[in-house]
mmCIF file of all heavy atoms in Angstrom:
data_model
loop_
_atom_site.group_PDB
_atom_site.id
_atom_site.type_symbol
_atom_site.label_atom_id
_atom_site.label_comp_id
_atom_site.label_asym_id
_atom_site.label_seq_id
_atom_site.Cartn_x
_atom_site.Cartn_y
_atom_site.Cartn_z
ATOM 1 N N ALA L 475 -22.275 -9.787 5.916
ATOM 2 C CA ALA L 475 -21.940 -10.422 7.191
ATOM 3 C C ALA L 475 -21.373 -11.828 7.032
ATOM 4 O O ALA L 475 -21.085 -12.485 8.035
ATOM 5 C CB ALA L 475 -23.184 -10.470 8.079
ATOM 6 N N GLY L 477 -19.323 -14.938 7.089
ATOM 7 C CA GLY L 477 -18.114 -15.273 7.827
ATOM 8 C C GLY L 477 -18.013 -14.619 9.197
ATOM 9 O O GLY L 477 -17.089 -14.908 9.948
ATOM 10 N N LEU L 478 -18.947 -13.723 9.525
ATOM 11 C CA LEU L 478 -18.934 -13.081 10.841
ATOM 12 C C LEU L 478 -19.944 -13.776 11.752
ATOM 13 O O LEU L 478 -21.074 -14.019 11.338
ATOM 14 C CB LEU L 478 -19.320 -11.600 10.731
ATOM 15 C CG LEU L 478 -18.430 -10.695 9.877
ATOM 16 C CD1 LEU L 478 -19.023 -9.291 9.806
ATOM 17 C CD2 LEU L 478 -17.013 -10.655 10.429
ATOM 18 N N ASP L 479 -19.526 -14.086 12.986
ATOM 19 C CA ASP L 479 -20.490 -14.652 13.920
ATOM 20 C C ASP L 479 -21.328 -13.516 14.515
ATOM 21 O O ASP L 479 -21.076 -12.339 14.241
ATOM 22 C CB ASP L 479 -19.806 -15.502 14.999
ATOM 23 C CG ASP L 479 -18.859 -14.713 15.891
ATOM 24 O OD1 ASP L 479 -19.099 -13.501 16.122
ATOM 25 O OD2 ASP L 479 -17.874 -15.309 16.381
ATOM 26 N N ASN L 480 -22.325 -13.871 15.325
ATOM 27 C CA ASN L 480 -23.243 -12.859 15.875
ATOM 28 C C ASN L 480 -22.510 -11.790 16.677
ATOM 29 O O ASN L 480 -22.822 -10.603 16.588
ATOM 30 C CB ASN L 480 -24.327 -13.521 16.731
ATOM 31 C CG ASN L 480 -25.349 -14.248 15.883
ATOM 32 O OD1 ASN L 480 -25.462 -14.010 14.686
ATOM 33 N ND2 ASN L 480 -26.095 -15.140 16.499
ATOM 34 N N GLU L 481 -21.550 -12.216 17.479
ATOM 35 C CA GLU L 481 -20.796 -11.257 18.305
ATOM 36 C C GLU L 481 -20.007 -10.288 17.419
ATOM 37 O O GLU L 481 -19.967 -9.083 17.688
ATOM 38 C CB GLU L 481 -19.868 -12.002 19.260
ATOM 39 C CG GLU L 481 -19.158 -11.087 20.241
ATOM 40 C CD GLU L 481 -18.282 -11.858 21.219
ATOM 41 O OE1 GLU L 481 -18.626 -13.011 21.560
ATOM 42 O OE2 GLU L 481 -17.263 -11.287 21.635
ATOM 43 N N GLU L 482 -19.379 -10.807 16.373
ATOM 44 C CA GLU L 482 -18.623 -9.942 15.460
ATOM 45 C C GLU L 482 -19.552 -8.962 14.734
ATOM 46 O O GLU L 482 -19.201 -7.793 14.535
ATOM 47 C CB GLU L 482 -17.852 -10.790 14.443
ATOM 48 C CG GLU L 482 -16.691 -11.539 15.043
ATOM 49 C CD GLU L 482 -16.073 -12.540 14.080
ATOM 50 O OE1 GLU L 482 -16.831 -13.233 13.358
ATOM 51 O OE2 GLU L 482 -14.836 -12.627 14.045
ATOM 52 N N GLN L 483 -20.737 -9.439 14.365
ATOM 53 C CA GLN L 483 -21.703 -8.555 13.709
ATOM 54 C C GLN L 483 -22.129 -7.431 14.651
ATOM 55 O O GLN L 483 -22.206 -6.271 14.237
ATOM 56 C CB GLN L 483 -22.922 -9.350 13.236
ATOM 57 C CG GLN L 483 -22.624 -10.258 12.054
ATOM 58 C CD GLN L 483 -23.837 -11.053 11.634
ATOM 59 O OE1 GLN L 483 -24.935 -10.514 11.553
ATOM 60 N NE2 GLN L 483 -23.645 -12.333 11.361
ATOM 61 N N GLU L 484 -22.413 -7.770 15.913
ATOM 62 C CA GLU L 484 -22.810 -6.752 16.892
ATOM 63 C C GLU L 484 -21.681 -5.750 17.128
ATOM 64 O O GLU L 484 -21.920 -4.546 17.239
ATOM 65 C CB GLU L 484 -23.233 -7.420 18.206
ATOM 66 C CG GLU L 484 -24.546 -8.173 18.079
ATOM 67 C CD GLU L 484 -24.859 -9.045 19.293
ATOM 68 O OE1 GLU L 484 -24.156 -8.954 20.324
ATOM 69 O OE2 GLU L 484 -25.828 -9.834 19.183
ATOM 70 N N THR L 485 -20.445 -6.247 17.192
ATOM 71 C CA THR L 485 -19.291 -5.362 17.359
ATOM 72 C C THR L 485 -19.162 -4.438 16.152
ATOM 73 O O THR L 485 -18.923 -3.235 16.304
ATOM 74 C CB THR L 485 -17.998 -6.190 17.555
ATOM 75 O OG1 THR L 485 -18.137 -6.982 18.738
ATOM 76 C CG2 THR L 485 -16.775 -5.290 17.660
ATOM 77 N N MET L 486 -19.328 -4.989 14.972
ATOM 78 C CA MET L 486 -19.235 -4.198 13.740
ATOM 79 C C MET L 486 -20.272 -3.079 13.747
ATOM 80 O O MET L 486 -19.964 -1.929 13.416
ATOM 81 C CB MET L 486 -19.446 -5.101 12.524
ATOM 82 C CG MET L 486 -19.482 -4.359 11.214
ATOM 83 S SD MET L 486 -17.859 -3.886 10.674
ATOM 84 C CE MET L 486 -17.533 -5.242 9.605
ATOM 85 N N ILE L 487 -21.486 -3.397 14.145
ATOM 86 C CA ILE L 487 -22.556 -2.392 14.182
ATOM 87 C C ILE L 487 -22.211 -1.295 15.189
ATOM 88 O O ILE L 487 -22.382 -0.100 14.901
ATOM 89 C CB ILE L 487 -23.914 -3.061 14.499
ATOM 90 C CG1 ILE L 487 -24.347 -3.925 13.305
ATOM 91 C CG2 ILE L 487 -24.975 -2.010 14.826
ATOM 92 C CD1 ILE L 487 -25.495 -4.873 13.606
ATOM 93 N N ARG L 488 -21.698 -1.667 16.359
ATOM 94 C CA ARG L 488 -21.300 -0.663 17.367
ATOM 95 C C ARG L 488 -20.166 0.216 16.857
ATOM 96 O O ARG L 488 -20.199 1.441 17.009
ATOM 97 C CB ARG L 488 -20.881 -1.337 18.674
ATOM 98 C CG ARG L 488 -22.035 -1.734 19.565
ATOM 99 C CD ARG L 488 -21.569 -2.079 20.976
ATOM 100 N NE ARG L 488 -20.456 -3.015 21.032
ATOM 101 C CZ ARG L 488 -20.566 -4.350 20.968
ATOM 102 N NH1 ARG L 488 -21.762 -4.894 20.855
ATOM 103 N NH2 ARG L 488 -19.513 -5.123 21.039
ATOM 104 N N VAL L 489 -19.157 -0.387 16.253
ATOM 105 C CA VAL L 489 -18.007 0.374 15.747
ATOM 106 C C VAL L 489 -18.447 1.310 14.622
ATOM 107 O O VAL L 489 -18.068 2.490 14.596
ATOM 108 C CB VAL L 489 -16.873 -0.570 15.279
ATOM 109 C CG1 VAL L 489 -15.797 0.189 14.526
ATOM 110 C CG2 VAL L 489 -16.277 -1.308 16.473
ATOM 111 N N LEU L 490 -19.262 0.815 13.710
ATOM 112 C CA LEU L 490 -19.739 1.672 12.614
ATOM 113 C C LEU L 490 -20.592 2.820 13.138
ATOM 114 O O LEU L 490 -20.513 3.934 12.610
ATOM 115 C CB LEU L 490 -20.510 0.844 11.580
ATOM 116 C CG LEU L 490 -19.648 -0.068 10.713
ATOM 117 C CD1 LEU L 490 -20.535 -0.986 9.862
ATOM 118 C CD2 LEU L 490 -18.707 0.726 9.827
#
Side-chain angles (χ1 to χ4, degrees):
L478 299 176
D479 63 31
N480 287 342
E481 186 178 329
E482 289 171 319
Q483 289 179 44
E484 290 170 9
T485 299
M486 175 77 96
I487 291 167
R488 279 194 310 276
V489 170
L490 288 172

